[in-house]
Amino acid sequence: MINNFTKWSIAICVLTIAGSCSKKNESTKSVDSNSVDSSSVSEIKPTGSAPEWGKTIKPEMLAVIEKLGSYGDKPIETLTPTEARKNHTPTDAVMDLVKENNIQVPAPKVDTTGVSINVAGGKIHARVYTPKTGKNSYPIIVYYHGGGFVIADLDVYNASAQGLAEQTESVVVSVAYRLAPENKFPTAHNDAFAAYEWVLKNTSAIKGDAKKIAVVGESAGGNLAANVSIMARDKKIMIPLHQVLVYPIAQSNMSTASYTKYAGAKPLNKPMMEWFTKHYLNNMSEAKDPRISLVNANLKDLPPTSIITAEIDPLHDDGTMLADKLSAAGLKVNSKNYEGVTHEFFGMSIIVPQAKEAQAYAAEQLKAAFQ
């Protein structure tokens, strides 16, 4: 089965100029906007009441969750990784709500191209978002998507990467690191760092300012972004000016208060996190490795950090625990929690007001770092 987003991408490839979805030019559909007609969004309402696992959920967020549930996909934790990758995603739910409610999606303010990056044992792909403002150089954000190291891709997280590029007027390099279980720990971590090194060596080729580089990641990608900063410090190369970690995986204890309270939440629950961990790690003892359990890592001399958490999220406490550990290590840390929203909300700015606020907050933090 091919999900709706992929179907859309294929259709665009067919309809656009030959080769436009090649490694050189990539066609993406934006679900990010800061100029969407708010009256259209305000009409999006859920059909049912708040679920037991999320009594404080906001209406727009619930509408997305309801749409995701309407596809009838089997729970990810009951599937093989190959099967799970064919499930509908929160992005599909957002896109369908946009279509059903006739919400106009503004034209992208960025161009996208694809690049190939050499890594140990092969190559990985990255998508480069470049503002259309015609400047000679821009700050650079290296972005790492979520998906528990096992599922998802650049398309699923397009809205986050594009939104950051547009709102910060930066080049964003979105990294398609290799996924597990085909590529076990620490492959994704090593790929993430290799991509960062590639960016450092190719700033001029992507119209980037070599002195202004930050990292951003969501969920598993938040873990990767933090690890990139740690590896850059340890290898004594330029560390990012700033890191934005959005509901990052930061520790291995699945008995925290948020794991307990939101064990059955959607779109991320505790059984899914156990499934992700099993498929990425070579053995469960690796869960305590400081690259997975960032709260146990040496966090000194890392960049100033902004952490974004969602209230209705098993990983909520991962973010707050990491913020505390970073502060204790002497770093400047800003953190912000968004009430009434779930894991994966960050890329839903066209539907969910809190996502629009969170992207604006992240952009504000990054722009201040780039000054």
Side-chain angles (χ1 to χ4, degrees):
M1 182 181 73
I2 301 175
N3 69 29
N4 293 340
F5 195 97
T6 305
K7 288 178 181 176
W8 184 95
S9 300
I10 292 172
I12 290 299
C13 286
V14 170
L15 293 172
T16 49
I17 299 171
S20 67
C21 288
S22 69
K23 293 287 186 181
K24 288 202 171 182
N25 299 295
E26 299 202 346
S27 177
T28 63
K29 185 165 180 77
S30 169
V31 291
D32 172 79
S33 171
N34 287 303
S35 58
V36 173
D37 182 355
S38 60
S39 63
S40 299
V41 177
S42 66
E43 295 172 2
I44 296 177
K45 300 186 186 305
T47 58
S49 56
E52 286 299 319
W53 52 259
K55 287 298 186 182
T56 60
I57 195 168
K58 299 293 186 182
E60 298 87 357
M61 187 77 247
L62 181 54
V64 174
I65 297 299
E66 287 180 343
K67 175 57 66 176
L68 185 60
S70 74
Y71 302 127
D73 294 331
K74 293 179 181 178
I76 281 178
E77 64 271 17
T78 68
L79 302 175
T80 67
T82 300
E83 292 169 337
R85 292 169 191 152
K86 297 175 182 176
N87 267 12
H88 292 81
T89 69
T91 297
D92 293 322
V94 170
M95 293 304 303
D96 281 347
L97 287 174
V98 166
K99 182 178 179 181
E100 292 166 10
N101 290 275
N102 298 312
I103 297 174
Q104 185 176 1
V105 180
K109 299 176 184 177
V110 293
D111 291 318
T112 54
T113 57
V115 297
S116 181
I117 298 173
N118 291 322
V119 294
K123 294 179 180 289
I124 60 172
H125 182 67
R127 179 179 295 161
V128 181
Y129 298 75
T130 306
K132 293 182 177 181
T133 49
K135 293 183 179 179
N136 292 326
S137 71
Y138 300 91
I140 303 170
I141 297 168
V142 188
Y143 171 83
Y144 302 96
H145 70 76
F149 309 108
V150 180
I151 61 173
D153 56 26
L154 303 188
D155 288 340
V156 172
Y157 286 84
N158 174 63
S160 295
Q162 181 179 321
L164 291 170
E166 292 181 345
Q167 294 180 54
T168 63
E169 198 176 348
S170 300
V171 169
V172 170
V173 180
S174 185
V175 180
Y177 52 88
R178 287 172 289 181
L179 300 177
E182 296 87 347
N183 302 279
K184 290 280 193 175
F185 175 76
T187 302
H189 287 73
N190 292 338
D191 285 357
F193 184 68
Y196 179 75
E197 287 186 301
W198 181 91
V199 168
L200 292 182
K201 296 172 184 175
N202 291 274
T203 53
S204 60
I206 58 173
K207 291 189 175 181
D209 185 335
K211 296 179 181 179
K212 297 180 179 180
I213 302 177
V215 291
V216 178
E218 289 183 60
S219 195
N223 177 285
L224 294 177
N227 271 286
V228 165
S229 295
I230 292 170
M231 294 172 76
R233 177 202 64 197
D234 292 347
K235 292 180 182 293
K236 295 181 169 48
I237 66 173
M238 176 182 172
I239 66 169
L241 291 179
H242 197 86
Q243 55 184 7
V244 177
L245 312 178
V246 183
Y247 28 72
I249 295 173
Q251 57 88 50
S252 60
N253 176 15
M254 295 190 190
S255 298
T256 63
S258 61
Y259 260 109
T260 301
K261 185 173 184 179
Y262 301 116
K266 296 179 181 179
L268 180 70
N269 58 35
K270 182 177 178 179
M272 285 173 63
M273 283 302 303
E274 294 169 340
W275 184 88
F276 288 137
T277 303
K278 176 187 74 174
H279 283 298
Y280 183 44
L281 301 184
N282 298 282
N283 57 74
M284 294 306 289
S285 66
E286 289 180 337
K288 297 188 181 299
D289 188 295
R291 287 168 289 185
I292 300 296
S293 290
L294 288 166
V295 294
N296 297 325
N298 173 11
L299 301 175
K300 292 184 180 296
D301 302 318
L302 295 181
T305 304
S306 301
I307 293 181
I308 291 171
T309 54
E311 177 197 3
I312 308 171
D313 183 359
L315 294 185
H316 172 276
D317 291 358
D318 279 46
T320 57
M321 292 166 69
L322 182 58
D324 289 343
K325 290 286 187 176
L326 289 167
S327 294
L331 302 188
K332 179 182 178 183
V333 181
N334 291 308
S335 59
K336 197 163 186 180
N337 182 59
Y338 290 85
E339 302 289 335
V341 290
T342 72
H343 198 79
E344 301 290 6
F345 86 98
F346 185 76
M348 303 178 183
S349 65
I350 198 166
I351 295 289
V352 178
Q354 292 74 23
K356 186 174 181 178
E357 294 170 13
Q359 284 195 19
Y361 169 72
E364 174 186 290
Q365 299 294 306
L366 290 162
K367 286 191 290 185
F370 290 145
Q371 288 181 352

